């Protein structure tokens, strides 16, 4: 089923960039724990632990950075959920940004995808590889690979 013209589709990743190359490429940010990243047009939104916000503000590719603690509190109030899970936080973000559908990588957690679908938020698998541009290397990346191979 393809989205209608009025549907808003966003890219959604939830992964640890230390072990997920798509997340590292998308966010341009290395963190020890998984976090949420959303692509909406040219906008890249990171939802991070407050401990990472300062560093992410300087070192990431995000155009907007939200505190996970603040978003969790807002989701709790808006959704009436006592202890919001990651799927609740995503649902709250979808409502806030009027997102109808998410495109996710093949590595996206199945349980979260099913919870989103129960909440009537469409989840569609993206291509594999998820970010094909990752395969092309610029001069700096190619140089780093050559250095690493030495």
């Amino acid at each position: 089923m393809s989205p209608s013209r009025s549907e808003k589709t966003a890219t959604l990743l939830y992964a640890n960039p230390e072990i997920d190359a798509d997340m590292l490429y998308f966010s341009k940010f290395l963190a020890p724990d998984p976090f949420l990243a959303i692509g909406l047009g040219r906008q890249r939104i990171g939802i991070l632990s407050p401990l990472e916000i300062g560093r992410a503000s300087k070192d990431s590719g995000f155009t907007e950075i939200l505190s996970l603690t603040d978003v969790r509190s807002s989701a709790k109030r808006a959704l009436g959920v006592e202890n919001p899970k990651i799927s609740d936080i995503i649902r709250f973000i979808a409502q806030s940004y009027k997102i109808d559908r998410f495109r996710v990588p093949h590595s996206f957690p199945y349980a979260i995808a099913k919870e989103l679908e129960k909440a009537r938020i469409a989840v569609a698998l993206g291509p594999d590889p998820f970010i094909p541009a990752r395969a092309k290397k610029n001069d700096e990346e190619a140089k780093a690979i050559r250095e690493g191979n030495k």
Side-chain angles (χ1 to χ4, degrees), residues 137-150:
K137 304 300 178 207
N138 63 33
D139 292 340
E140 186 179 318
E141 292 168 325
K143 181 181 175 185
I145 290 170
R146 285 191 296 277
E147 290 296 316
N149 286 336
K150 287 182 185 178

Side-chain angles (χ1 to χ4, degrees), residues 29-69:
F29 185 66
L30 190 60
D33 297 314
F35 58 86
L36 286 167
I38 298 169
L40 191 55
R42 293 183 180 204
Q43 192 174 13
R44 289 190 181 201
I45 305 162
I47 303 169
L48 300 156
S49 157
L51 298 173
E52 299 290 359
I53 289 177
R55 197 166 57 85
S57 296
K58 291 183 255 172
D59 298 338
S60 76
F62 292 120
T63 56
E64 183 176 358
I65 299 170
L66 305 174
S67 162
L68 177 60
T69 302

Side-chain angles (χ1 to χ4, degrees), residues 13-25:
L13 294 101
Y14 179 64
N16 177 337
E18 287 187 344
I19 58 174
D20 189 292
D22 285 325
M23 177 60 103
L24 181 59
Y25 188 88

